[in-house]
Amino acid sequence: VRPAGAGTGGGQNTLLESFSFTAVNTPVLSSVEVDAPKYILATDTDGEKLTASGFSEVVVDEVMIYLTERKYINEPLFLRSFCEYCITKKLYGKRKLLAAINEKGFGLECIEDELEEVLKSFDFVEICKKQIEKAKRVDLGDKAAREKLIASLTRKGFSLSEIKAALLEVIRGE
């Protein structure tokens, strides 16, 4: 089943991979084939995005049951993976991470259950220190340059206490 007006890739973004599967012998449908971008299925635990993409609700319900039973949709695991990526690769602070999680559309229940555990496993002063080291051109002795760096780190989601602790470690050479 494809959404109305969807082609085989003509106007679609070619950078997105598609996820295809066939659900056979479901209670409502004898066979369902769904082709949808992976990013839709990654956070679409209730099928709203698939319905908005043009799939019928009956098909969406069957697809969601099928994917959930086979662990293709695992929101807590995806949340952990997303957090680890944002923290280790993009070097986000807590606030920027929370904004990215909200933008991604994770469920509130999943966020409450998983986020605290994920945040405990990272030292945000060390992450902030990596961000400071990444900005090697900044003269930490110059007050104006240091203030710009602090503003930049704040935009990256770090708290002032994390920034100050990281700056002290960098200045001391630890």
Side-chain angles (χ1 to χ4, degrees):
V1 176
R2 289 184 182 269
T8 56
Q12 296 175 350
N13 185 346
T14 57
L15 295 176
L16 296 176
E17 297 180 44
S18 290
F19 176 80
S20 300
F21 69 93
T22 303
V24 181
N25 296 327
T26 57
V28 175
L29 307 164
S30 59
S31 177
V32 177
E33 187 175 317
V34 174
D35 184 17
K38 284 183 181 177
Y39 76 93
I40 289 178
L41 295 174
T43 59
D44 192 14
T45 56
D46 55 4
E48 287 180 21
K49 293 178 185 176
L50 288 174
T51 304
S53 296
F55 294 102
S56 73
E57 288 190 31
V58 173
V59 171
V60 170
D61 289 343
E62 290 299 318
V63 167
M64 298 311 291
I65 291 168
Y66 178 86
L67 293 173
T68 304
E69 287 174 351
R70 285 157 183 81
K71 304 288 185 203
Y72 287 115
I73 295 179
N74 187 340
E75 194 176 29
L77 182 63
F78 182 60
L79 176 66
R80 286 180 185 196
S81 174
F82 180 74
C83 289
E84 288 174 11
Y85 170 75
C86 287
I87 293 169
T88 59
K89 301 292 184 195
K90 293 188 171 188
L91 303 177
Y92 282 0
K94 290 178 191 175
R95 290 187 198 128
K96 179 95 174 187
L97 177 65
L98 289 173
I101 288 170
N102 287 330
E103 184 178 322
K104 201 71 159 164
F106 287 99
L108 186 59
E109 184 178 308
C110 179
I111 293 171
E112 290 173 352
D113 293 343
E114 300 294 325
L115 190 61
E116 186 176 332
E117 185 179 322
V118 171
L119 293 179
K120 285 181 182 178
S121 64
F122 290 98
D123 181 8
F124 284 95
V125 173
E126 282 299 314
I127 304 296
C128 185
K129 189 175 165 183
K130 287 180 184 179
Q131 277 285 14
I132 293 169
E133 291 168 355
K134 200 172 157 184
K136 291 183 179 184
R137 294 176 281 165
V138 176
D139 178 19
L140 297 177
D142 181 22
K143 185 177 179 181
R146 192 171 54 244
E147 287 178 0
K148 284 183 182 180
L149 178 64
I150 291 171
S152 171
L153 293 170
T154 303
R155 286 190 299 274
K156 278 285 196 177
F158 296 101
S159 69
L160 196 54
S161 62
E162 293 166 342
I163 294 169
K164 286 182 178 181
L167 278 171
L168 282 174
E169 287 184 20
V170 169
I171 291 170
R172 290 180 184 160
E174 296 176 0

